[in-house]
Amino acid sequence: MGLVVSIVLTLLALWVVQAHALSHAMLLAVILVLAVLQIVVQLAFFMHFTESAGPRYHVSALALGFVFTFCIVAGSIWIMTFGGTQPY
Amino acid sequence: MSLAHEEVLSHPDHDIPLEYSTEDGVLKIFGFWIFLATDLILFACLFSMYQILHLNTAGGPTEQDLYNVPEFMAETLILLVSSFTCGLATLEMRKGHRGALMAWLIVTVLLGLSFIFLEVREFVDYVGRGATMQRSAFLSSFFTLVGTHGCHVSLGILWMLSILYQLGRRGIQAITARKVFIVGLYWHFLDVVWVFIFTVVYLQGVMH
Amino acid sequence: MQLCSSVFTLGFLKDTPDPSEVDVMNKQVLRRPTTNRSRAVWRCGTLLMLIPLLATGCSPQVVMLHPVGPVGRIEERLIILSIVLVTIVIVPVFVLLWYIVRRYRDVPGNDAPYRPEFSESRTLEIVWWGVPILIIGILAVFTARDTFALTKPPERSAPPLTVQVTSLDWKWLFQYPGQKIATVNYCYIPTNRPIQFILTANAPMNSFWVPQLGGQEYTMPGMAMQLWLQADKPGVYHGRGAQFTGKGFAHMTFDVTATSQAQFDAWAKQIQKTAPALTEAGYTNLAHPGLVGKMSFSSYPPNIFHDVIMKEGGMYMKHDKAVLEGEK
Amino acid sequence: MALPGYVGNAPTSFFVTGDPMIYASDVLIVLTVIGIVFVLTYYKKWGWLWREWLTTVDHKKIGIMYLIAALLMLFRGGTDAVLMRTQLALPNMHFLEAEHYDQIFTTHGTIMILFMAMPLVFAMMNIAVPLQIGARDVAFPYLNAISFWLFFFGALLLNLSFVIGGSPDGGWTSYPPLVENPTDPGPGENFYLLALQISGIGSMATGINFLVTILKMRAPGMTLMRMPLFCWSILATSILIIFSFPALTIALALVLIDRLFDAHFFTMLQGGNPMMYINLFWVWGHPEVYIVVLPAFGIFSEVIATFSRKRTFGYSSMVASMLAIAVISYLVWLHHFFTMGAGPGVNTFFAISTMCVGIPTGVKVFNWLFTMYQGRIRMTVPMLWSIGFIPTFAIGGATGVMLAVAPADYQYHNSYFLIAHFHQTLIGGVVYGMFAGLYYWWPKMFGFILNERIGRWAFWFFNIGFYVCFLPQYQLGFMGMTRRIYVYPAGMGWTALNLISTIGAYLMAVGFVLIVVDILYSIRYGERDVTGDPWDGRTLEWSLPSPAPHYNFARIPTVTARDAWWVMKGERKRGEVKRELEPLEPIHMPNNSGRPFILSVLFFLGGFGLVFEWYWLAIPSGIGVMVCLLLRSLEYNMDHYIPVSEIKRTEAALGRS
Ligand code: HEA
Ligand code: HEA
Ligand code: CUA
Ligand SMILES: [Cu+2]
């Protein structure tokens, strides 16, 4: 089941890119969403994410990890584009 | 390790999987989740590095010049399947089938090896076409990002081999069960990272 | 003002340049008024006791607090505002600390109340979450306003002058695209006219700083950053590199001379007439690590500024075409 | 007009030559090593050293080793500081040359933050956390030993650069392209990169270790909201370590790849982007300053409550503010490079998020004040450091908020105003906190109390020296003095203030020497701590004998409230509960192992090999590391049980039943 879903997601991503159906920014957004769905599949089907003995601290830890990952990636890219253009 | 203070030992419960049955197992599995969180940030930094440098080709080969759809699709599918077989291994372990567990692990290792083989071939091919790490910032970050993932996979293969050996000698018991579970987490995590490499590096690269 | 400035002008040390280094560091912006030696020694004693006051002391040598242009003044106002705002919370902390530690000492016969279980108070908590939030709120508004303001030219009345600045190891090269002249380690600017400094580096990153005119900005290889400054008063203002670049860094100082427009034009004419030209080879030589004194050039290879930026990564940045073509 | 001794390449010889100071230290180092070897051999202590220390996995001993190493590093970093201040005392000084000064401020900053503050924090958490939560060790004792030895050999590698190959000289922030090959040849920078990398792996492991320990190993009844605040601070710090150190790992690794393999991440040519390094460095660098200051906050909370004989005021907002600081500190890193000009939108966002950190920090300050309010304050040395901390840190934090005003930072940036700010927070916060912790937990570590009289003298020298040293630097900043300059001209009005600052630095050095004197004096004459609870403490570590037995708790306590030990003492005094003592049970403990030490030696050799690009050394060492990991994986007998009879004997010897 997990395998089927993840392969479908992969092929879908490839297809949207090859089909040239969307604008550049939209495409990026779509394939990123598909990638995020893949994470969910992995976590749910294979990594037994919800299992644990005692409180589920690892869920909060990973959630925090995702938040900080987002901050770092988005922040870095925002900073490095220098407001879109160089004055000179 | 000190005595358990968590519920695990005080209420022995037959539904608890073997890998969680000792305090040691609980701690190590939790610790490994945290380790994965640090690895996540590590890759996040490499990804932002790549995203910022991927157009800085310094007149050298560009993404479109290099990436080849069948090649990276093959790598992707192999890794996805290996993630699945690794999941099957964990399930067999839960059922206590040592033979099936080892068989699936061996399949996973073989898939991992073929992934590494394809990746090495890809790298060698690029280098042969003058696309070395020294050529441009884009290539430096490409090789570092994809290569770091590749190193992780190679380590995972070695690790699985060591666990296979231990399973052969000691069978399924609390410690080996924990190790199988943890190496499984690691393997699935690498799969997740690859999905992003697939998306951000390869798909984005062939988008135009 | 006068009072504190006299207290903080110290003359007790032989504070004059060592002649052997004058040529490298001949940057006396403001001559210290000569002070009577014994009075100064006495002042030094007072000063040692009043050290905490130093943070607010303010002779004209305290360049950040004596700006001579609108940009520096905006920054000075923010500095003062932030000092006042943080003082509002810091002073109560000091007073409370002093009072509490004195009053609740564990000494025999202390009759102050002792309530070992007193550990919650909704009202107090609201006060000290609330007041700082308020203060930060005020500061945030002014910060946002001025951050945006300072990216624009300070005064729109006069047309701006562009000066291209390149930091090299370990010297400053100034190019005047309008006048077609170049200088090293000093520059002239007209007063009452916004100056658009365009900054880059052909060496490790540095930072261009003329404290009396206003704040600094990094000079980075492959980048062309923009810094607006303006001088209202004629004078010689001290500038220096602020971001460490290796062995010669301490000597990377320069003078900015602000004069009237007429004097500025005359100066430019003079350079055009009398100075040698900067050649490609001359530039390469200049870019070589080392120290030099002041230099002037009547012309320069027209594209070096642009080419250096492009070569070192500038080609990967999106450029504002209007500025790129309009000014050159 | 070249600088004296400048033109030419970096030293190419293996041993650093040409400077009497270096020769002197070479001789000193050789003599010290010979001395140590001689003493160990003479007293037949080699076996003892190996069995009791090098192979230990006991968190208390590891803590003590961290402490000793950190104090040595404080001495090294402090000596650097004194040398710098001497050079800056007067204009146009010829005491140090440019190259030398550059190396000194680089090693000063690097050592102070990574090899002094970090291990000092790790020392405190190793010593106190398991005892405070009622555990017998940390979650992964073997990993803990690896962390320590990686730190130790990382520090050794950096310090080695002083006599072999040359020290790094690119500043503790080590910005490219300055530190790339063309402008910084020679092995110095490689030493920096590898030393930080090696000790960084250890730090990351420590973060994971303590997070798991605190979340999973608390004694029964100790809910999160009953935990001592020090443990909370370590929890927050661990979160910060876990999520920020990977950024440093990457930043350093990429510079290393640039330097060793001629890649182009941060070079000026071939499309490299040096600004990205600055970005990554501060993604780690800003959280790092909170990593070192939060544990200090935790220590102050413990010390102030204990010596005011009062419950901590506003416990829940103390916890909330700590977590808020930890989370916000991931959203502020750009404030270290406002002047890079990433655009007004970016600057505004990061300026405001930075200021926001002041709010939870302020809450903590007021809660400390009101913990003392209506208490009974005992002016012991740990309390002195804590009280001294409040004004120093309030000023340092306030100037931090001033720096956060982005347009104003265009003026302050890289000036002595900044230098003053961060010393005021780093010393006034971290160093004061760690000294408070040192005096506070010393009896728990060693069984005797440090002399209060000498301790008080040390405090006053250090505290006064601190203000004399750093307040003038704010003014120097306003006067336009920039950091990292080895000389300045006369006539700028900077002279007097610099001289005063230097005097302050000497006063601080006297203070530090007095602390060392205090330790030496007390080893001989110090008052023994026979009760295990010399301060009338509130938390579980004081329920144990000093020093605690290696299994910590013969019986794991059951916790019913915050300030667990204080409550138990109250119950005992009132004779309320007479719990039947449960029978002792055998205690499960991890075995000692020499592998962490050997593994770290291999790391060290590998690092050293890479510094000089000696792959014949680096590659075998790397393989050795892998073999060590494999051997560990194949090891199944890693622990043992302490029999009840032995526990009884130990407890009886300590006067407990
Ligand atoms: C332990 C270390 C430590 C700590 C705790 C801090 C705390 C803070 N720091 Fe600091 N900082 C450093 C260490 C530290 N810093 C270092 C090492 C550098 C420079 C590195 C280098 O370049 O080499 C630096 C640099 C630095 C900069 C960069 C300046 C520049 O390079 O130009 C800035 C800018 O915003 C800044 C801001 C702050 C702020 C806002 C806080 C806040 O967290 C402070 C919060 C505390 C308070 C505000 C005081 C208590 C509060 C109250 C009493 C009540 C409420 C107060 C108000 C509402 C004002 N710091
Ligand atoms: C926790 C961190 C920490 C600590 C505790 C200190 C402690 C001190 N620091 Fe440091 N400092 C930094 C972190 C720290 N510093 C950092 C990160 C930088 C930036 C580096 C960079 O730019 O890259 C810096 C930079 C820095 C500068 C700026 C250099 C420059 O930019 O040119 C100065 C100058 O005054 C300075 C001074 C001092 C002094 C006087 C002390 C005093 O507190 C020290 C007190 C002394 C001791 C505790 C030891 C006592 C020594 C002896 C008893 C030996 C006596 C021996 C002889 C006389 C030979 N430091
Ligand atoms: Cu006082 Cu100017
Ligand atoms: Cu910061």
Side-chain angles (χ1 to χ4, degrees), chain D residues 24 49 64 71 162 169 176 193 211 276 279 326 395-396 412 507:
Chain D
L49 185 70
I64 288 172
L71 288 177
F162 187 57
D169 57 2
L193 295 168
L211 189 76
M276 192 54 196
N279 184 62
I395 301 175
Y412 306 129
L507 291 178

Side-chain angles (χ1 to χ4, degrees), chain D residues 74-75 77-79 81-85 88 101 105-106 108-110 112-113 116-117 171-173 416 419 422-423 426-427 430-431 462 469-470 473 482-485 501 505-506 508-510 512-513:
Chain D
L74 178 56
F75 185 78
T79 307
V82 170
L83 292 175
M84 285 193 296
R85 282 308 334 160
L88 293 176
Y101 186 87
F105 72 67
T106 303
H108 167 74
T110 312
M112 282 299 199
I113 291 197
M116 190 284 286
W172 86 282
T173 50
Y416 263 75
I419 302 283
F422 71 69
H423 282 91
L426 277 167
I427 297 179
V430 184
V431 175
F462 204 87
C469 184
F470 292 107
Q473 293 188 2
T482 45
R483 70 193 290 194
R484 296 174 174 170
I485 50 175
S501 178
Y506 281 113
M508 291 172 86
V510 173
F512 180 75
V513 170

